[in-house]
């Protein structure tokens, strides 16, 4: 079983990389975060479409939505 590193351990290891390696690591992590964010949005849209298709959505005006958010 693979043991996960703690965040502070990851930072310590990253400090040992050269500046170029650190910049490449940042670029890789930024791409991975962007991909994960896109996938989460895709999943949420699919779920919303499923809810809509199953009739679980209630029409609302923007004002009603804002009132609900600000409760």
């Amino acid at each position: 079983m693979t043991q996960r590193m703690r965040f502070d351990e990851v930072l310590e290891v990253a400090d040992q990389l050269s500046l170029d390696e650190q910049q490449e690591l940042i670029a890789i992590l930024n791409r991975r975060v962007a991909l994960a964010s896109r996938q989460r949005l895709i999943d949420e849209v699919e779920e919303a479409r499923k809810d809509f298709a199953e009739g679980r959505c209630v029409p609302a005006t923007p004002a009603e939505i804002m009132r609900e958010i600000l409760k």
Side-chain angles (χ1 to χ4, degrees), residues 17 19-35 38:
L17 299 173
L19 182 57
D20 287 341
E21 290 170 327
Q22 288 180 16
Q23 290 173 330
E24 183 61 25
L25 176 60
I26 290 168
I28 291 168
L29 291 174
N30 281 332
R31 284 192 298 272
R32 289 182 179 184
V33 167
L35 286 171
R38 273 189 231 114

Side-chain angles (χ1 to χ4, degrees), residues 29-48:
L29 291 174
N30 281 332
R31 284 192 298 272
R32 289 182 179 184
V33 167
L35 286 171
S37 295
R38 273 189 231 114
Q39 186 59 53
R40 184 178 61 198
L41 181 58
I42 289 167
D43 294 344
E44 289 174 357
V45 168
E46 287 176 358
E47 183 67 25

Side-chain angles (χ1 to χ4, degrees), residues 5 7-23 25-26 29:
M5 294 179 73
F7 186 74
D8 62 330
E9 294 172 328
V10 172
L11 290 177
E12 189 174 314
V13 172
D15 283 340
Q16 297 172 21
L17 299 173
S18 70
L19 182 57
D20 287 341
E21 290 170 327
Q22 288 180 16
Q23 290 173 330
L25 176 60
I26 290 168
L29 291 174

